[in-house]
Amino acid sequence: MLTYYVLSSKLNMNAQFGKNSKWPLQFPLRPLLVPSITLLSLLICYTCMNQISLEIETTRNTKLSVPSKQKDENTCGTNFVRRDEIPYIHFPQPKTYNRGECACTPVRYFVIISMQRSGSGWFETLLNSHPNISSNGEIFSVTDRRTNISSIINTLNVVYNLDWLSSAAKNECTAAFGLKWMLNQGITDYNRDVVNYLKLNGVSVIFLFRRNLLRRLVSLLANDYDRQAKQLNGTHKAHVHSKEEAEILAKFKPKINPSALIPNLNFAEKTINDSLHSFQSIRHMILYYEDIINKEEALFKVQEFLGVPKMRLVSRHVKIHTKPLPKQVTNWGEIWKTLNGTRYAHFLNHADY
């Protein structure tokens, strides 16, 4: 642009004063042109280097060692899949075994995002009763697996390549494979990176929460007490498989601090809302503990979401707290006064659910 301006100015002056006329002022073309070109070249070079650095940083932040769809979709064929579901269909090739004749059986990846004492343990046993679903527990309860984003990504790569071995692992024909991830196990510490990973890998999210946060708090306090008391023959059990064990654990009635109650409920509610907002761009479904108990179709919707045949799911888990809330809390009168008239008053409902 600068060169054009200089040449244009010279032509205009020639036209005005004539070819042989002397200009009123000699225009220093070469001394100005050379530094201008040099400066312009440096500016272009600086801009290009910045753009390259930005692209490298963006790639580093989004493409975090993603496991590829190692089996070509064209080889296995996806004609039977709706176009909008193709990003969530995978054909992994595990390193630890051969999928054999099931190499072209599509696999859907999922993660259950939940909070402690929200029914996630029970829900996972229900899923694992399905012959085509493998949910591998709280993998990130082990701190070393979530010390930084690299350790998280490496762990997820192993899981979604079907190389994670656990009691939930089925066989080479598994059609839905995933894990359970609690909100206090690193997922919120690396929120953006985790969201990018799940998007790039076509991982679907199942949110599982509890509507009645007061009941969840009672369950939390009772479980914390048993960690210390170990009421079942000196052993702590978060979940039980017999009515007798459930009755023993249900005998303990926690005392809730009235002054900390509403802040506690506020925090739990905010944690849930923040997680829903953070992962809203990912394919997901929202499930509530109460719906699993009351609505049989809730589990059918989950199976449809995971793309597996619908069937009745079962679990050996036995519910511990089955009595109305007033019989589960030592200082129920104080709790009633604290919540009555607030937006949490509906949690006081005496009915089971």
Side-chain angles (χ1 to χ4, degrees), residues 114-121 208-210 216 288-289 292:
S114 188
M115 302 168 70
Q116 279 77 7
R117 313 313 294 179
S118 296
S120 61
L208 176 61
F209 297 119
R210 200 163 181 168
R216 174 181 174 270
Y288 290 97
Y289 173 72
I292 301 176

Side-chain angles (χ1 to χ4, degrees), residues 257-259 261-262 332-342 348:
N257 182 352
S259 61
L261 178 56
I262 290 182
W332 177 251
E334 291 181 292
I335 301 307
W336 175 272
K337 291 179 182 178
T338 301
L339 295 185
N340 192 30
T342 71
L348 300 169

Side-chain angles (χ1 to χ4, degrees), residues 231-232 240-252 318-323:
Q231 303 166 86
L232 299 174
V240 296
H241 296 147
S242 73
K243 183 179 179 182
E244 292 73 23
E245 289 179 326
E247 289 176 350
I248 292 173
L249 295 182
K251 288 180 181 178
F252 173 74
V318 176
K319 183 171 171 57
I320 297 172
H321 297 100
T322 59
K323 297 179 181 179

Side-chain angles (χ1 to χ4, degrees), residues 48 69 117 135 146 156 173 221 249 256 258 277 328 330:
C48 290
K69 294 185 179 180
R117 313 313 294 179
S135 189
R146 52 182 168 94
L156 291 174
C173 292
L221 295 174
L249 295 182
I256 300 176
H277 176 75
Q328 295 183 39
T330 299

